[in-house]
């Protein structure tokens, strides 16, 4: 190796190491007499790995000749999308993303991207065809699903740019504009919380059908706190402060693995909110809190996963939904997804005048905009109550 006056390091003729300002090192290949076809570069996290790569190029050139080196460069540029995307899946953010996020990327690559682009050379995929393909997807898939697929595709191309396979990301100029929906579609998406009477029938059916696994206790916690399904499954006895009727939500269980809550933040929520009983109150009530604490203690588990088959193993997410469907059928309640328990908590408390900040913290939503957009109707009802409580509502025409 020869250190040059400009700071570069020459491994041999045609192979040079270039230090970058960000601390990385670039291995620059310029095979003599081969023009653009003999040029290639790749960045490495530090000098040792760059030296190792440079030495490997030197051995290849000296042992197999310049034609073999040029062929490697050509093959690298001609990489098929499927090969690169599958490698990206294995290497992308090994410890930095949640299992559910990785699972989503895997589904997008296997079910959508590889079937369409898998056999193509990644460098030949043009923005126009990506745009046309995305528009075709929008005819059969929701905007949210298409947005996720586009996000995965964009990440794959970002990695391809870093690997010097392509020079641009064909998704970068594509913006998904919201579609004007039909009235029927908007009605289908409308939040439909459970009434107090429906909640009573659901809880009674849960107690009757699944007493051994305390499914009714789990649903009471879901209604009172607005916890997500994965957060309920991940609950441990140690997370509860039964003296103060609160619970710390620090994790979620999904795709067979524990992770952080959806927002990435821990939160403490109150037990005892009178969501499932007829009341004008929204604040946690002593009698409701006392009842749920009694039920938690009746599980007779002093540590480990509260609703797991064993203290060491959380309950299965699929079984949760099977139980949910059976309970609603027995209770003769129109089927709604398990997340409706979250909607119910928010809608009931807001309509009774609860502070939006309390509801947002209870359910773990990131912004007030989410509360306003989804629960605006119940928020307006609660606003009238709050104004009335301070002596304004009686005289103000709303």
């Amino acid at each position: 190796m020869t250190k040059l006056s400009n700071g570069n390091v020459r491994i041999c003729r045609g192979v040079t190491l270039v230090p970058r300002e960000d601390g990385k090192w670039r291995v620059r290949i310029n095979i003599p007499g081969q023009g653009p076809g003999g040029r290639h570069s790749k960045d490495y996290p530090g000098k040792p790995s760059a030296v190792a790569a440079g030495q490997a190029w030197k051995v290849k050139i000296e042992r197999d000749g310049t034609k073999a080196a040029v062929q490697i460069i050509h093959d690298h540029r001609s990489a098929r999308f499927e090969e690169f995307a599958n490698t990206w899946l294995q290497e992308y953010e090994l410890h930095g993303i949640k299992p559910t996020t990785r699972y989503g990327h895997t589904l997008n690559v296997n079910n959508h991207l590889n079937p369409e682009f898998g056999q193509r050379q990644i460098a030949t995929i043009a923005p126009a065809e990506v745009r046309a393909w995305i528009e075709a997807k929008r005819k059969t898939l929701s905007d949210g699903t298409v947005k996720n697929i586009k996000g995965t595709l964009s990440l794959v191309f970002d990695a391809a740019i870093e690997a010097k396979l392509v020079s641009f990301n064909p998704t970068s100029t594509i913006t998904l504009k919201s579609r004007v929906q039909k009235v029927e579609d908007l009605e289908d998406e409308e939040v439909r919380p459970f009434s107090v009477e429906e909640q009573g029938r659901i809880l009674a059916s849960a107690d009757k059908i699944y007493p051994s696994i305390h499914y009714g206790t789990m649903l009471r916690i879901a209604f009172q706190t607005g916890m997500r399904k994965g957060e309920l499954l991940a609950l441990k006895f140690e997370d509860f402060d039964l003296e103060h009727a609160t619970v710390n939500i620090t994790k979620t269980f999904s795709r067979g693995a524990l992770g952080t809550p959806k927002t990435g933040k821990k939160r403490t929520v109150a037990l005892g909110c009178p969501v499932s009983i007829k009341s004008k109150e929204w604040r946690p009530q002593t009698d409701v809190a006392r009842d749920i604490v009694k039920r938690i203690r009746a599980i007779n588990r002093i540590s480990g996963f509260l609703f797991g088959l064993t203290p060491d193993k959380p309950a299965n997410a699929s079984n949760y939904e099977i139980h949910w469907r059976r309970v609603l059928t027995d209770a003769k309640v129109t089927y709604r997804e398990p997340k409706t328990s979250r909607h119910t908590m928010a809608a009931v408390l807001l309509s009774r005048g609860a502070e939006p900040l309390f509801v947002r913290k209870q359910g773990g939503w990131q912004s007030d905009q989410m509360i306003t957009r989804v629960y605006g109707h119940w928020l307006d009802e609660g606003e009238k109550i709050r104004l009335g409580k301070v002596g304004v509502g009686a005289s103000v025409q709303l």
Side-chain angles (χ1 to χ4, degrees), residues 12-27:
C12 67
R13 188 183 182 198
V15 181
T16 305
L17 309 184
V18 181
R20 292 180 36 149
E21 292 183 357
D22 59 5
K24 295 181 179 181
W25 280 73
R26 175 168 297 170
V27 177

Side-chain angles (χ1 to χ4, degrees), residues 109-127:
V109 169
N110 293 340
N111 296 347
H112 300 284
L113 302 181
N114 280 346
E116 176 67 21
F117 303 111
Q119 300 307 308
R120 294 279 303 280
Q121 293 180 1
I122 193 169
T124 67
I125 300 173

Side-chain angles (χ1 to χ4, degrees), residues 287-308:
D287 56 339
V288 179
R290 187 179 292 119
D291 174 74
I292 193 64
V293 167
K294 181 180 178 181
R295 290 175 181 275
I296 292 170
R297 285 188 169 131
I299 297 176
N300 199 27
R301 189 163 286 178
I302 61 174
S303 65
F305 293 105
L306 190 65
F307 299 109

Side-chain angles (χ1 to χ4, degrees), residues 159-180:
I161 291 173
E162 193 171 313
K164 307 299 181 183
L165 293 177
V166 297
S167 58
F168 64 93
N169 187 332
T171 70
S172 60
T173 59
I174 300 174
T175 302
L176 293 178
K177 296 181 179 179
S178 298
R179 292 176 282 195
V180 178

